[in-house]
Structure formats: C-alpha cells, structure tokens
Amino acid sequence: MNTWILLRGLTRESGHWGDFPELLREGLPANSTLLTPDLPGNGKLFEARSPSAVADMVEHCRWALQTTGHHPPYHVLAMSLGAMVTVDWAHRYPHELRKAVLINTSLRPFNPFWQRLRPRQYGRILRLVVGRPSAQEWEEAILAMTTCHPRDPQTIVANWVQLRQSHPVTISNAWRQLRAAIRYRAPKQVPKVPMLLLNGLGDELVHPACSLTLARVWNLPLITHPTAGHDLPTDAGPWLVTQVQAWLEHSDP
C-alpha cells in the first residue's frame, strides 16, 4: 500500500486543497491511501499551539500518523511551509519517506529573503495584518496573492471564508508558524529521498528562482507551469497530477 501525505502551507489547512485530493487519488495506483493532516494551529487543530520550529512540526506529523495507524514509509506532496516540513523530515528520517513532491518552496540558505517573499507583496501583507479586514477581504487578498487563473474564484473564496470562520487561526499561531518558516535552515546536502520540484512561473508570492536554485544545488528535476501561481493545486490541479504520474512512472521504484 502507498500512503500519500499532503501538507499545506502557512496558516492553511486540509480544506484549502479543494478538489485536488480527489484529482490526485484518481491518478494514483488503486492501492494508495491519501491523507491530508493539519499542522497544529490550523484546520481541525486550530485550538492547538503552533510549534515555532519546523522540526517540531515534523515530530507532530510523525506522532499523529503513527498514532492513527498509518505507518511509514510515506509519499509526501507538500507546498510552501509544508515543503519545509517535508525537507526536514527527509533529512532527519529518510527511511520514513519513499518520495516527495515539493511545490513552490523556498529555503534558506539557497535564496535571499526578497526572493523567498517577493517585495511586491509586502504592502498587501502589512495592510492585512494592521487593517482588520473582513474574512471576505482577507481571503480575496490571499487568492490574489497565490493564484493567477483559479477556476470559479467566487466559490473558492466563499469556501475559504467558511474555513476561516470554522477554524480560525489565531494571530499568535500565525506568528509562530511564520517564525518557524523564517528560522528554518535547510541542509546544504540533498536529503536521501527522491524528490520532484514543481513551480509556477506566475508565482507572485515566492520567486520562481527559489525552485530553480534548489534544483541546481540539489540536482533535482524541476517542472515549471508557464502561467500558474503559488497555489499550483488551485491554479492547475489536473496538470499537477499529470506531472506527478509521469514522474512516478519514470523514477526508480
């Protein structure tokens, strides 16, 4: 049996995958199990305290999966902060991961801060933090920052607003997650887990150069969507599934 773990990014939860898990499930072998756990402080765990270190997020994931009867090795597909968790996991416990797909990630020490978070978004993020926007305004801003051509954006925003209202992420948890992302420093040596990098050339949040640099330094395959943004599963879910399928078919078992 192949167990796939899907990990989201900063302050986001399993519900933000939308219909992507079902798309991916249809593209995987029939014996695959697909799980979308939340990091502490997000989603169903919104009342928990978020760790302020990526390593502690890894330990939570390992504990939660094994406690619920899902034992390694795992396949992982992750984006943003979730990709950092995956890299740390692969570095410290390589025997627990079979393969990993990293989407639009950015890692110290490979790229400067102004590529890991593009300056064009500083003003928008500041306005969100200090301006007390409504849930609707907040999610519309997130969609604008992370996507380029989402299908049915009004429905997506409505769903995201409902998620925010059902599982509100506290300011303190958001800061702890941000601190973890800022502080995390990836190993310079490539983890001993087969990895695929995917990114979108239209990413307005993280510069596409971040994935390009990581591909060069770690000698990893990189596939780039010509127009999609940071939230590649939302912008180009079917394309993403196709790339994962092709990589699985042609990579070593």
Side-chain angles (χ1 to χ4, degrees):
M1 177 175 291
N2 295 317
T3 301
W4 279 80
I5 311 300
L6 273 59
L7 296 176
R8 270 294 220 175
L10 188 75
T11 75
R12 309 311 265 177
E13 61 158 281
S14 58
H16 289 108
W17 288 111
D19 63 0
F20 177 74
E22 287 306 314
L23 289 175
L24 181 60
R25 194 189 311 275
E26 292 172 3
L28 294 176
N31 66 339
S32 300
T33 297
L34 197 152
L35 305 171
T36 57
D38 291 317
L39 295 175
N42 300 338
K44 295 178 181 178
L45 304 179
F46 75 98
E47 294 181 314
R49 179 184 176 91
S50 293
S52 57
V54 166
D56 292 334
M57 297 178 183
V58 173
E59 297 305 329
H60 167 81
C61 288
R62 298 177 67 238
W63 170 83
L65 287 167
Q66 296 194 46
T67 298
T68 54
H70 300 286
H71 301 288
Y74 313 110
H75 292 74
V76 182
L77 183 145
M79 57 182 292
S80 201
L81 176 59
M84 296 182 196
V85 172
T86 304
V87 167
D88 189 66
W89 197 344
H91 177 63
R92 294 193 292 124
Y93 305 103
H95 60 285
E96 294 186 0
L97 302 186
R98 281 183 177 162
K99 294 181 180 179
V101 179
L102 308 182
I103 301 169
N104 282 323
T105 191
S106 65
L107 298 169
R108 292 174 62 203
F110 305 117
N111 290 87
F113 73 90
W114 50 268
Q115 288 185 336
R116 297 184 63 215
L117 179 59
R118 304 187 77 166
R120 66 185 64 176
Q121 302 298 350
Y122 293 174
R124 174 179 276 161
I125 293 171
L126 182 62
R127 288 191 295 273
L128 286 176
V129 172
V130 303
R132 295 188 178 184
S134 67
Q136 179 80 17
E137 292 169 334
W138 186 283
E139 296 303 336
E140 287 176 348
I142 296 297
L143 188 72
M145 282 192 289
T146 60
T147 65
C148 291
H149 41 69
R151 177 173 51 87
D152 196 359
Q154 290 184 336
T155 299
I156 292 173
V157 169
N159 290 338
W160 288 3
V161 168
Q162 186 176 20
L163 291 174
R164 175 174 290 275
Q165 294 170 340
S166 301
H167 304 144
V169 178
T170 65
I171 294 297
S172 58
N173 271 341
W175 279 116
R176 276 190 284 271
Q177 292 175 44
L178 180 60
R179 183 184 181 194
I182 291 173
R183 292 173 60 194
Y184 179 65
R185 189 176 182 88
K188 289 191 176 181
Q189 66 273 26
V190 59
K192 297 178 181 179
V193 173
M195 291 184 172
L196 170 67
L197 302 180
L198 293 164
N199 71 345
L201 199 59
D203 192 341
E204 294 287 336
L205 191 66
V206 173
H207 200 290
C210 293
S211 293
L212 185 63
T213 301
L214 190 61
R216 175 177 54 80
V217 173
W218 281 356
N219 192 29
L220 297 177
L222 168 65
I223 305 173
T224 298
H225 191 285
T227 59
H230 186 71
D231 193 339
L232 196 52
T234 298
D235 261 348
W239 177 89
L240 178 53
V241 172
T242 298
Q243 307 314 313
V244 172
Q245 285 177 308
W247 180 63
L248 292 175
E249 290 172 2
H250 293 96
S251 61
D252 294 334

